[in-house]
Amino acid sequence: MTSTGSVEGGEHLRLFCALRLPDHVLDGIADWQREHLDGRTVDRSNLHATLAFLGRRPASELPAITQALREAARDAGEVVFAPRRYRETRSVGMLVFDDVTGEGGRLAERLFDGLERLGVYEREQRPWLPHVTVLRFRAAPKLAPPVPELGTFSPSDAAVYISVLRPSGAQYDVLERVGLGG
């Protein structure tokens, strides 16, 4: 684990846990965004695959949340993703990935269990969907870009992030990183 941020204990933080993507994948997605997407694309520095969004939490919970992520990640086998399709919801465009080995989903389930035991997370009704948000919008542009040719890849590690809302959009910063696997 590497700590890259610090916070004061009495604060409230908008937190989420995510898988970080390797540089060559970030570069490939950023190039693909420039070529195929118009509008409010998500900046390269904010690209990640969300595991669990926790919302506003007391800063004092950060160590326990980090420990839950560490424990879930410790038992991870090789997580391998492959781009499958572009999808739009009512407010975002995303690249959806195939979870080639199934290990991403198993990691997410272990994390959900640990966060629920802490009382800081309520599991969503739908299954976890490995994806990266690449575009934000008020009205869906109904794009149909080709899937970027990223090949298969493994996340570099996992992290607890803070989300800071700014007039220009959310900014995500890593507070704690954890390795994947033993």
Side-chain angles (χ1 to χ4, degrees):
M1 174 190 66
T2 303
S3 177
T4 58
S6 62
V7 295
E8 299 297 320
E11 293 181 71
H12 279 79
L13 313 169
R14 289 185 77 228
L15 299 175
F16 64 93
C17 298
L19 294 168
R20 293 177 2 108
L21 307 176
D23 284 336
H24 75 279
V25 171
L26 295 172
D27 292 342
I29 293 172
D31 290 345
W32 174 83
Q33 287 173 303
R34 279 189 293 280
E35 187 173 339
H36 297 286
L37 304 181
D38 291 320
R40 290 182 46 206
T41 57
V42 175
D43 189 74
R44 181 191 185 282
S45 64
N46 283 344
L47 297 172
H48 61 273
T50 302
L51 291 165
F53 182 74
L54 305 174
R56 191 169 185 265
R57 306 299 317 167
S60 61
E61 293 177 351
L62 180 60
I65 291 166
T66 302
Q67 184 61 29
L69 179 60
R70 183 181 301 109
E71 289 172 5
R74 178 185 56 225
D75 295 329
E78 185 180 13
V79 178
V80 178
F81 292 144
R84 180 186 339 151
R85 63 187 168 103
Y86 172 81
R87 172 180 182 237
E88 291 180 357
T89 67
R90 62 182 168 76
S91 60
V92 301
M94 61 179 69
L95 281 176
V96 176
F97 299 125
D98 283 327
D99 184 5
V100 176
T101 60
E103 285 296 326
R106 286 188 278 279
L107 166 60
E109 289 297 320
R110 286 191 303 275
L111 177 61
F112 300 160
D113 289 344
L115 295 172
E116 286 178 330
R117 278 193 299 275
L118 293 172
V120 300
Y121 182 74
E122 185 175 323
R123 191 179 310 244
E124 295 183 17
Q125 296 301 309
R126 62 182 184 247
W128 178 71
L129 179 67
H131 72 278
V132 173
T133 299
V134 294
L135 182 66
R136 299 190 183 285
F137 43 75
R138 295 192 193 284
K142 298 185 168 101
L143 301 174
V147 175
E149 296 189 22
L150 304 173
T152 59
F153 65 90
S154 294
S156 52
D157 56 14
V160 179
Y161 285 81
I162 184 172
S163 172
V164 179
L165 300 179
R166 304 209 184 282
S168 59
Q171 173 186 325
Y172 308 137
D173 292 311
V174 171
L175 293 177
E176 299 285 344
R177 289 188 305 207
V178 300
L180 299 175

Short mmCIF file of all heavy atoms in Angstrom, two decimals, residues 124-152:
data_model
loop_
_atom_site.label_atom_id
_atom_site.label_comp_id
_atom_site.label_asym_id
_atom_site.label_seq_id
_atom_site.Cartn_x
_atom_site.Cartn_y
_atom_site.Cartn_z
N GLU A 124 -25.58 -2.68 -4.77
CA GLU A 124 -26.59 -2.38 -5.78
C GLU A 124 -27.33 -3.66 -6.16
O GLU A 124 -26.81 -4.76 -6.01
CB GLU A 124 -25.93 -1.77 -7.02
CG GLU A 124 -25.30 -0.41 -6.75
CD GLU A 124 -24.70 0.22 -7.99
OE1 GLU A 124 -25.04 -0.21 -9.11
OE2 GLU A 124 -23.89 1.13 -7.82
N GLN A 125 -28.54 -3.51 -6.66
CA GLN A 125 -29.35 -4.66 -7.05
C GLN A 125 -28.82 -5.34 -8.32
O GLN A 125 -28.93 -6.53 -8.47
CB GLN A 125 -30.81 -4.25 -7.27
CG GLN A 125 -31.47 -3.75 -5.99
CD GLN A 125 -31.46 -4.80 -4.89
OE1 GLN A 125 -31.86 -5.94 -5.09
NE2 GLN A 125 -30.98 -4.42 -3.71
N ARG A 126 -28.24 -4.54 -9.21
CA ARG A 126 -27.72 -5.11 -10.45
C ARG A 126 -26.29 -5.63 -10.22
O ARG A 126 -25.59 -5.14 -9.33
CB ARG A 126 -27.75 -4.08 -11.56
CG ARG A 126 -26.89 -2.87 -11.28
CD ARG A 126 -27.00 -1.83 -12.39
NE ARG A 126 -26.09 -0.76 -12.12
CZ ARG A 126 -26.45 0.47 -11.82
NH1 ARG A 126 -27.72 0.79 -11.74
NH2 ARG A 126 -25.56 1.40 -11.58
N PRO A 127 -25.86 -6.58 -11.02
CA PRO A 127 -24.48 -7.08 -10.88
C PRO A 127 -23.47 -6.02 -11.25
O PRO A 127 -23.75 -5.11 -12.04
CB PRO A 127 -24.41 -8.26 -11.85
CG PRO A 127 -25.67 -8.29 -12.62
CD PRO A 127 -26.61 -7.27 -12.07
N TRP A 128 -22.28 -6.14 -10.68
CA TRP A 128 -21.20 -5.23 -10.98
C TRP A 128 -20.87 -5.30 -12.46
O TRP A 128 -20.79 -6.39 -13.04
CB TRP A 128 -19.97 -5.59 -10.13
CG TRP A 128 -18.78 -4.73 -10.40
CD1 TRP A 128 -18.61 -3.43 -10.06
CD2 TRP A 128 -17.57 -5.12 -11.05
NE1 TRP A 128 -17.38 -2.98 -10.47
CE2 TRP A 128 -16.72 -4.00 -11.08
CE3 TRP A 128 -17.13 -6.31 -11.63
CZ2 TRP A 128 -15.45 -4.03 -11.65
CZ3 TRP A 128 -15.87 -6.34 -12.21
CH2 TRP A 128 -15.05 -5.21 -12.21
N LEU A 129 -20.68 -4.15 -13.08
CA LEU A 129 -20.37 -4.06 -14.51
C LEU A 129 -19.01 -3.41 -14.66
O LEU A 129 -18.85 -2.21 -14.36
CB LEU A 129 -21.43 -3.22 -15.23
CG LEU A 129 -21.23 -3.02 -16.73
CD1 LEU A 129 -21.40 -4.34 -17.48
CD2 LEU A 129 -22.21 -1.97 -17.25
N PRO A 130 -18.00 -4.16 -15.12
CA PRO A 130 -16.69 -3.54 -15.31
C PRO A 130 -16.75 -2.53 -16.46
O PRO A 130 -17.10 -2.90 -17.59
CB PRO A 130 -15.76 -4.71 -15.62
CG PRO A 130 -16.64 -5.83 -16.04
CD PRO A 130 -18.00 -5.57 -15.47
N HIS A 131 -16.43 -1.28 -16.16
CA HIS A 131 -16.51 -0.23 -17.17
C HIS A 131 -15.67 0.97 -16.75
O HIS A 131 -15.29 1.10 -15.59
CB HIS A 131 -17.96 0.21 -17.38
CG HIS A 131 -18.51 0.99 -16.23
ND1 HIS A 131 -19.01 0.39 -15.10
CD2 HIS A 131 -18.61 2.33 -16.03
CE1 HIS A 131 -19.41 1.33 -14.25
NE2 HIS A 131 -19.16 2.51 -14.79
N VAL A 132 -15.45 1.84 -17.72
CA VAL A 132 -14.79 3.12 -17.49
C VAL A 132 -15.69 4.20 -18.07
O VAL A 132 -16.07 4.13 -19.25
CB VAL A 132 -13.40 3.18 -18.15
CG1 VAL A 132 -12.80 4.57 -18.04
CG2 VAL A 132 -12.47 2.16 -17.55
N THR A 133 -16.06 5.18 -17.25
CA THR A 133 -16.83 6.32 -17.75
C THR A 133 -15.89 7.20 -18.57
O THR A 133 -14.84 7.60 -18.09
CB THR A 133 -17.45 7.11 -16.59
OG1 THR A 133 -18.33 6.24 -15.87
CG2 THR A 133 -18.21 8.33 -17.08
N VAL A 134 -16.31 7.47 -19.82
CA VAL A 134 -15.44 8.21 -20.75
C VAL A 134 -16.05 9.54 -21.20
O VAL A 134 -15.35 10.37 -21.79
CB VAL A 134 -15.09 7.36 -21.98
CG1 VAL A 134 -14.22 6.17 -21.59
CG2 VAL A 134 -16.35 6.90 -22.72
N LEU A 135 -17.36 9.75 -20.93
CA LEU A 135 -18.05 10.92 -21.42
C LEU A 135 -19.20 11.26 -20.48
O LEU A 135 -19.87 10.36 -19.96
CB LEU A 135 -18.62 10.62 -22.83
CG LEU A 135 -19.34 11.72 -23.58
CD1 LEU A 135 -18.38 12.86 -23.95
CD2 LEU A 135 -19.98 11.15 -24.85
N ARG A 136 -19.42 12.56 -20.25
CA ARG A 136 -20.56 13.03 -19.44
C ARG A 136 -21.41 13.94 -20.31
O ARG A 136 -20.88 14.66 -21.15
CB ARG A 136 -20.08 13.76 -18.21
CG ARG A 136 -19.24 12.89 -17.29
CD ARG A 136 -18.96 13.55 -15.95
NE ARG A 136 -18.10 12.71 -15.15
CZ ARG A 136 -18.48 11.61 -14.51
NH1 ARG A 136 -19.71 11.22 -14.58
NH2 ARG A 136 -17.63 10.91 -13.79
N PHE A 137 -22.73 13.92 -20.09
CA PHE A 137 -23.62 14.75 -20.90
C PHE A 137 -24.95 14.96 -20.19
O PHE A 137 -25.29 14.25 -19.26
CB PHE A 137 -23.86 14.12 -22.28
CG PHE A 137 -24.12 12.63 -22.25
CD1 PHE A 137 -25.32 12.11 -21.82
CD2 PHE A 137 -23.13 11.75 -22.66
CE1 PHE A 137 -25.55 10.74 -21.79
CE2 PHE A 137 -23.34 10.38 -22.63
CZ PHE A 137 -24.56 9.88 -22.21
N ARG A 138 -25.67 15.98 -20.65
CA ARG A 138 -27.02 16.26 -20.14
C ARG A 138 -28.07 15.51 -20.96
O ARG A 138 -29.08 15.09 -20.45
CB ARG A 138 -27.30 17.76 -20.16
CG ARG A 138 -26.41 18.53 -19.19
CD ARG A 138 -26.90 19.96 -19.03
NE ARG A 138 -25.93 20.80 -18.36
CZ ARG A 138 -25.67 20.79 -17.07
NH1 ARG A 138 -26.31 19.96 -16.29
NH2 ARG A 138 -24.77 21.59 -16.55
N ALA A 139 -27.83 15.40 -22.26
CA ALA A 139 -28.70 14.65 -23.15
C ALA A 139 -27.83 13.66 -23.92
O ALA A 139 -26.78 14.04 -24.46
CB ALA A 139 -29.42 15.58 -24.12
N ALA A 140 -28.24 12.41 -23.95
CA ALA A 140 -27.43 11.37 -24.60
C ALA A 140 -27.19 11.72 -26.07
O ALA A 140 -28.14 11.98 -26.81
CB ALA A 140 -28.13 10.03 -24.49
N PRO A 141 -25.93 11.73 -26.50
CA PRO A 141 -25.63 12.06 -27.89
C PRO A 141 -25.92 10.91 -28.86
O PRO A 141 -25.86 11.09 -30.07
CB PRO A 141 -24.14 12.40 -27.86
CG PRO A 141 -23.60 11.68 -26.67
CD PRO A 141 -24.73 11.61 -25.68
N LYS A 142 -26.19 9.74 -28.29
CA LYS A 142 -26.51 8.55 -29.11
C LYS A 142 -25.37 8.24 -30.10
O LYS A 142 -25.60 8.03 -31.29
CB LYS A 142 -27.85 8.71 -29.81
CG LYS A 142 -28.98 8.84 -28.81
CD LYS A 142 -30.32 8.89 -29.48
CE LYS A 142 -31.39 8.73 -28.46
NZ LYS A 142 -32.12 9.73 -27.97
N LEU A 143 -24.18 8.18 -29.56
CA LEU A 143 -23.00 7.85 -30.35
C LEU A 143 -22.89 6.34 -30.54
O LEU A 143 -23.42 5.57 -29.74
CB LEU A 143 -21.74 8.38 -29.66
CG LEU A 143 -21.68 9.88 -29.40
CD1 LEU A 143 -20.44 10.23 -28.59
CD2 LEU A 143 -21.69 10.64 -30.72
N ALA A 144 -22.19 5.95 -31.56
CA ALA A 144 -21.92 4.53 -31.80
C ALA A 144 -20.48 4.37 -32.28
O ALA A 144 -20.22 3.87 -33.38
CB ALA A 144 -22.90 3.98 -32.83
N PRO A 145 -19.52 4.79 -31.43
CA PRO A 145 -18.12 4.71 -31.85
C PRO A 145 -17.65 3.26 -31.86
O PRO A 145 -18.20 2.40 -31.17
CB PRO A 145 -17.38 5.50 -30.77
CG PRO A 145 -18.22 5.33 -29.55
CD PRO A 145 -19.65 5.30 -30.06
N PRO A 146 -16.61 2.99 -32.64
CA PRO A 146 -16.03 1.64 -32.59
C PRO A 146 -15.38 1.43 -31.23
O PRO A 146 -15.02 2.38 -30.53
CB PRO A 146 -14.97 1.66 -33.69
CG PRO A 146 -14.59 3.11 -33.80
CD PRO A 146 -15.85 3.89 -33.51
N VAL A 147 -15.27 0.18 -30.84
CA VAL A 147 -14.60 -0.15 -29.57
C VAL A 147 -13.10 0.07 -29.76
O VAL A 147 -12.55 -0.35 -30.79
CB VAL A 147 -14.90 -1.61 -29.17
CG1 VAL A 147 -14.12 -2.01 -27.94
CG2 VAL A 147 -16.39 -1.79 -28.94
N PRO A 148 -12.45 0.73 -28.82
CA PRO A 148 -11.00 0.94 -28.99
C PRO A 148 -10.24 -0.38 -28.95
O PRO A 148 -10.63 -1.32 -28.26
CB PRO A 148 -10.62 1.82 -27.79
CG PRO A 148 -11.68 1.60 -26.79
CD PRO A 148 -12.93 1.27 -27.55
N GLU A 149 -9.18 -0.43 -29.71
CA GLU A 149 -8.37 -1.64 -29.77
C GLU A 149 -7.31 -1.59 -28.68
O GLU A 149 -6.18 -1.16 -28.93
CB GLU A 149 -7.77 -1.79 -31.16
CG GLU A 149 -8.84 -1.99 -32.23
CD GLU A 149 -8.27 -2.34 -33.58
OE1 GLU A 149 -7.13 -2.84 -33.64
OE2 GLU A 149 -8.98 -2.12 -34.56
N LEU A 150 -7.70 -2.02 -27.51
CA LEU A 150 -6.81 -2.00 -26.35
C LEU A 150 -6.23 -3.38 -26.07
O LEU A 150 -5.31 -3.51 -25.26
CB LEU A 150 -7.55 -1.51 -25.11
CG LEU A 150 -8.23 -0.15 -25.19
CD1 LEU A 150 -9.06 0.12 -23.95
CD2 LEU A 150 -7.18 0.94 -25.40
N GLY A 151 -6.79 -4.42 -26.68
CA GLY A 151 -6.39 -5.78 -26.35
C GLY A 151 -6.85 -6.13 -24.94
O GLY A 151 -7.66 -5.43 -24.34
N THR A 152 -6.34 -7.23 -24.42
CA THR A 152 -6.63 -7.57 -23.02
C THR A 152 -5.61 -6.87 -22.15
O THR A 152 -4.48 -6.61 -22.57
CB THR A 152 -6.58 -9.08 -22.78
OG1 THR A 152 -5.30 -9.57 -23.13
CG2 THR A 152 -7.65 -9.81 -23.59
#
